[in-house]
C-alpha cells in the first residue's frame, strides 16, 4: 500500500503541483480513506519527501542503465537527456519550483543528492571521453563536471528561464550542445554533429 500511495501521489504532484494536491485528493483518487495514508505517512511533508526521493532513485537507476550501455559519452548524454525528458513530460506545474518554495529542506536535500550522483557520473563520462579521444585531454574534469551540474540546474530556474518563453526540451538541447562544443575533439565533433543534424531535422 505504501508503494501504491507513493505512485499515485507522484502522478498527482507532477501534474498538479506539490502545493495544490491535498491528502484528501490522493485518498479520493485511490478510493481509500485518508486514515490509510496516515498509517504510512504521518503528514504531507513526509509523503512529499518519500515521493521526491523515490523519483530520484527511479531516474538514477535509468541513468545507470544508459551509462552501462552507451557506445560513447556523447551518445550517453543525449540518451540521458531523452530519458529525463520522458520523465518530465507529465510535469505541468513546475514541481521543482514548488518544492523549492514550499518544501525548502526537502529541495536542498534533493539538490545535494542530485549533485552527488551527477558529479560522480559526469566525471566518469568525461574521463571515458578523454580516454577514447572524443573529449580534449586538456580539460579540467573536476571543474567541468561541476559546471555541467550548475548549468543543468540553472536552466530549470523559472526566474531566469520563464516557461512561457523557453520550453524545457529546447533548454536541455541547447545547453547540452553548448557544453559539448566546449570540450569535444574533431572526432567528438563528428559524433556531436550527427545529433545536431538529427535534432534539426
Amino acid at each position: 500500500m505504501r508503494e501504491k500511495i507513493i505512485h499515485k501521489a507522484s502522478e498527482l504532484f507532477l501534474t498538479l503541483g506539490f502545493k495544490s494536491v491535498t491528502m484528501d485528493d490522493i485518498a479520493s483518487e485511490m478510493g481509500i480513506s485518508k486514515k490509510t495514508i496516515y498509517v504510512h505517512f504521518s503528514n504531507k511533508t513526509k509523503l512529499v519527501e518519500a515521493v521526491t526521493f523515490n523519483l530520484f532513485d527511479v531516474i538514477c537507476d535509468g541513468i545507470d542503465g544508459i551509462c552501462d550501455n552507451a557506445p560513447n559519452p556523447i551518445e550517453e548524454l543525449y540518451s540521458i537527456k531523452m530519458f529525463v525528458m520522458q520523465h518530465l513530460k507529465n510535469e505541468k506545474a513546475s514541481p521543482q519550483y514548488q518544492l523549492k518554495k514550499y518544501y525548502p529542506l526537502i529541495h536542498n536535500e534533493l539538490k545535494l543528492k542530485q549533485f552527488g550522483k551527477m558529479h560522480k557520473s559526469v566525471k566518469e563520462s568525461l574521463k571515458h571521453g578523454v580516454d577514447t579521444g572524443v573529449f580534449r585531454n586538456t580539460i579540467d574534469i573536476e571543474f567541468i563536471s561541476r559546471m555541467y551540474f550548475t548549468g543543468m540546474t540553472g536552466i530549470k530556474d523559472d526566474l531566469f528561464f520563464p516557461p512561457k518563453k523557453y520550453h524545457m526540451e529546447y533548454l536541455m538541447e541547447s545547453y547540452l550542445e553548448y557544453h559539448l562544443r566546449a570540450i569535444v575533439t574533431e572526432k567528438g565533433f563528428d559524433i556531436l554533429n550527427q545529433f545536431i543534424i538529427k535534432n534539426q531535422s
Side-chain angles (χ1 to χ4, degrees):
M1 180 53 74
R2 180 184 163 84
E3 280 69 34
K4 286 179 180 175
I5 294 167
I6 289 173
H7 180 71
K8 178 51 70 178
S10 297
E11 284 180 10
L12 293 172
F13 287 149
L14 290 180
T15 309
L16 303 169
F18 288 106
K19 174 72 172 167
S20 312
V21 178
T22 65
M23 298 296 246
D24 283 313
D25 294 331
I26 298 163
S28 174
E29 280 283 326
M30 294 184 71
I32 60 174
S33 72
K34 197 161 62 169
K35 278 184 183 176
T36 306
I37 298 177
Y38 283 119
V39 167
H40 300 279
F41 304 98
S42 55
N43 54 51
K44 186 181 169 185
T45 301
K46 291 289 182 191
L47 177 56
V48 168
E49 185 178 55
V51 165
T52 301
F53 297 133
N54 180 67
L55 285 169
F56 172 77
D57 289 340
V58 168
I59 289 174
C60 283
D61 288 345
I63 290 172
D64 286 343
I66 290 167
C67 293
D68 290 342
N69 297 299
N72 61 70
I74 295 171
E75 192 159 331
E76 178 185 299
L77 284 174
Y78 272 94
S79 296
I80 289 171
K81 185 211 76 166
M82 290 299 296
F83 173 75
V84 171
M85 284 309 305
Q86 283 168 355
H87 265 270
L88 300 182
K89 72 179 185 294
N90 294 323
E91 290 190 1
K92 298 179 180 70
S94 299
Q96 194 92 356
Y97 172 77
Q98 288 203 3
L99 195 66
K100 185 178 181 180
K101 185 174 182 181
Y102 300 109
Y103 299 93
L105 293 178
I106 297 173
H107 177 267
N108 290 341
E109 193 179 341
L110 175 66
K111 199 165 182 181
L112 284 172
K113 277 175 167 280
Q114 287 173 330
F115 174 72
K117 174 67 182 173
M118 200 186 239
H119 187 50
K120 179 174 179 288
S121 174
V122 172
K123 278 205 302 186
E124 287 171 2
S125 177
L126 289 168
K127 187 175 184 310
H128 180 51
V130 170
D131 292 343
T132 53
V134 295
F135 297 153
R136 289 182 290 107
N137 61 9
T138 53
I139 63 172
D140 183 335
I141 289 174
E142 180 71 26
F143 171 74
I144 289 172
S145 65
R146 289 172 183 270
M147 283 298 295
Y148 185 71
F149 177 80
T150 305
M152 269 299 180
T153 49
I155 60 173
K156 291 176 185 166
D157 192 322
D158 290 0
L159 183 66
F160 302 114
F161 298 99
K164 287 180 181 175
K165 189 171 183 181
Y166 296 101
H167 192 272
M168 185 49 70
E169 189 156 5
Y170 169 80
L171 288 172
M172 288 185 78
E173 189 69 46
S174 300
Y175 181 68
L176 189 52
E177 183 182 333
Y178 172 82
H179 163 73
L180 288 168
R181 278 182 181 274
I183 61 174
V184 290
T185 57
E186 280 188 37
K187 177 184 173 183
F189 183 72
D190 288 341
I191 299 169
L192 173 60
N193 209 32
Q194 292 169 22
F195 284 97
I196 294 169
I197 292 165
K198 193 164 93 176
N199 287 323
Q200 285 172 345
S201 62

